[in-house]
Amino acid sequence: MRIYSGIQPTGCITIGNYIGAVKNWLELQEENECLFAIANQHAMTVRQVPQELRERTYSFFAQFLACGLDPEKSILYVQSNVPQHSELAWILSCTTYIGELERMTQFKDKSRKNEDNINAGLLTYPVLMAADILLFKTDLVPVGKDQKQHLELTRDLAIRFNNRYGDTFVVPEPYIPKQGAKITSLQNPLEKMSKSDKDQNATVSIIDSADVIMKKFKRAVTDSENRIAFSEEKPGISNLLTIYSAFSGESIESAERRFEGKGYGDFKIAVGETVADALSPVREKYAAYMADKAELERIMKEGAEKASRIASRTIAKVKKKIGFVSD
Ligand code: ATP
Ligand code: LTN
């Protein structure tokens, strides 16, 4: 199967991104043809400082590699290095209705958060995302729950285009994990953990030091019941159990049994230690990749060339279908 997914280079990759998306990418790359992109064109929908965006793009690429995404198995690249994304986005935008875009939850959320910069890109963002996916004849898109609506739009656009111009695009399926599809903020367990959260204590980055990870978990907001059990009424402790299970491999039920009679304080320390230990090799590899920029650039270039080769075939087919003269 062909797999495609992306992540925006904003903030730092969090354990939410890791559990909801990257962890599944690692499994999928073993048996499928995968492409994973740093979606820097998507990141532009909120204001970026150019030098910081550039640095963060390298950093995210190094984090991809440090997590175990393997350029021998998957195509890893930076979105803006493959110009076909923008080319297809324009074409698809002419088969997308404004009403469809205005309904998107993420557009409404981000408009509220960036009242001084509700740019056209924020609205058309899902069209670019659809272009990313459809360019590569993707079968499956592994993402967290927040992207489900964008995937539904992608499917609608593919079907609409195929009906209007004849069979062109593969209609992709979302792949959303049963557990961990929405890791919540450590400071507000009712909200999604978000890379761009300004509260440092709300998120854990995959490259935070062990000390910082411990501190953040110790400060995590829970309730006052002090019983380690998963339930919808107790989102804080349930979130910690989900994180613990994702990093230890132990099921939630088994963790509940093992920690029976223990208090939240003990459990928070156990979660912190488990996460810090699991991420320690990621941190080390990250530092090594960041120290070799030339190697990062080589892998980026190779990835972009491979992606571009596939994308250009789709674009040629699309142009023919819609009546553009050949170049
Ligand atoms: P931003 O805060 O800048 O919007 P983000 O943290 O939402 O960033 P994205 O780059 O939008 O991150 O998402 C990358 C991938 O991680 C997507 O597949 C998304 O669904 C997934 N993801 C993001 N946040 C979470 C979360 N809290 N839990 C599970 N999956 C998540
Ligand atoms: N919009 C996604 C990131 C993203 C993506 C993609 C995910 C950009 N292009 C293509 C899956 C497929 C987000 O997580 N905010």
Side-chain angles (χ1 to χ4, degrees):
M1 275 203 290
R2 174 72 59 73
I3 315 286
Y4 189 96
S5 200
I7 188 163
Q8 306 180 71
T10 48
C12 250
I13 298 184
T14 68
I15 54 170
N17 303 129
Y18 185 83
I19 299 171
V22 180
K23 194 164 169 269
N24 294 318
W25 303 355
L26 294 170
E27 283 163 21
L28 288 163
Q29 79 171 347
E30 295 306 322
E31 303 207 348
N32 299 279
E33 231 179 285
C34 297
L35 292 105
F36 301 114
I38 310 276
N40 58 346
Q41 288 174 281
H42 280 92
M44 270 191 80
T45 54
V46 296
R47 252 183 225 117
Q48 302 290 338
V49 177
Q51 185 55 22
E52 288 175 9
L53 179 63
R54 189 173 300 114
E55 282 303 317
R56 231 181 290 115
T57 304
Y58 282 106
S59 167
F60 267 57
F61 209 82
Q63 289 175 65
F64 267 21
L65 297 167
C67 284
L69 292 174
D70 181 350
E72 301 290 320
K73 296 178 182 156
S74 301
I75 300 179
L76 310 175
Y77 72 102
V78 179
Q79 185 183 29
S80 64
N81 289 342
V82 177
Q84 289 88 351
H85 286 270
S86 317
E87 219 176 339
L88 184 59
W90 171 256
I91 295 168
L92 290 178
S93 74
C94 299
T95 53
T96 313
Y97 302 110
I98 290 181
E100 289 178 300
L101 297 174
E102 285 170 338
R103 274 200 295 278
M104 294 289 128
T105 314
Q106 185 176 297
F107 171 66
K108 289 191 241 173
D109 273 2
K110 295 224 162 165
S111 303
R112 222 175 297 126
K113 286 185 189 149
N114 301 282
E115 264 180 353
D116 59 335
N117 184 23
I118 307 177
N119 59 74
L122 206 57
L123 180 69
T124 58
Y125 174 117
V127 181
L128 180 60
M129 179 162 159
D132 300 345
I133 297 166
L134 300 180
L135 261 184
F136 299 99
K137 308 205 182 313
T138 304
D139 298 297
L140 210 61
V141 186
V143 284
K145 200 167 157 197
D146 60 324
Q147 296 302 312
K148 190 163 178 263
Q149 203 183 26
H150 292 160
L151 248 297
E152 279 157 10
L153 180 72
T154 303
R155 289 170 55 84
D156 289 346
L157 295 183
I159 294 167
R160 189 175 305 155
F161 191 99
N162 288 349
N163 286 339
R164 198 170 292 170
Y165 298 105
D167 204 22
T168 311
F169 294 125
V170 172
V171 181
E173 295 284 340
Y175 180 92
I176 297 169
K178 284 194 189 70
Q179 197 181 302
K182 186 181 172 189
I183 297 298
T184 58
S185 153
L186 296 188
Q187 290 301 311
N188 178 0
L190 295 174
E191 260 190 30
K192 142 182 138 138
M193 182 181 286
S194 170
K195 275 197 260 102
S196 41
D197 198 320
K198 290 191 183 67
D199 180 351
Q200 297 279 321
N201 287 321
T203 62
V204 173
S205 147
I206 60 167
I207 50 170
D208 273 346
S209 71
D211 279 357
V212 168
I213 295 177
M214 289 306 293
K215 259 188 222 137
K216 288 180 178 176
F217 278 110
K218 281 186 191 160
R219 284 183 195 149
V221 171
T222 41
D223 53 82
S224 54
E225 201 185 311
N226 214 23
R227 199 169 67 83
I228 295 146
F230 191 98
S231 98
E232 274 182 24
E233 288 85 59
K234 303 200 304 172
I237 190 70
S238 301
N239 191 42
L240 293 183
L241 272 162
T242 307
I243 295 171
Y244 177 79
S245 168
F247 280 99
S248 65
E250 184 176 352
S251 73
I252 291 181
E253 297 73 34
S254 153
E256 282 172 336
R257 260 179 268 123
R258 216 155 51 75
F259 285 95
E260 212 178 328
K262 294 250 165 60
Y264 286 168
D266 289 336
F267 186 61
K268 285 180 186 175
I269 291 173
V271 183
E273 281 171 353
T274 304
V275 174
D277 281 356
L279 291 176
S280 133
V282 173
R283 228 166 18 244
E284 277 167 30
K285 284 187 207 148
Y286 170 72
Y289 281 115
M290 282 305 274
D292 191 353
K293 241 179 180 172
E295 175 66 357
L296 284 181
E297 281 169 352
R298 189 191 65 75
I299 305 173
M300 267 181 198
K301 189 158 182 268
E302 200 177 272
E305 277 165 9
K306 286 185 192 159
S308 199
R309 229 172 287 140
I310 306 174
S312 62
R313 286 200 291 272
T314 309
I315 285 289
K317 187 169 170 190
V318 167
K319 282 182 169 172
K320 203 164 164 194
K321 296 260 185 183
I322 59 179
F324 284 2
V325 295
S326 59
D327 43 14

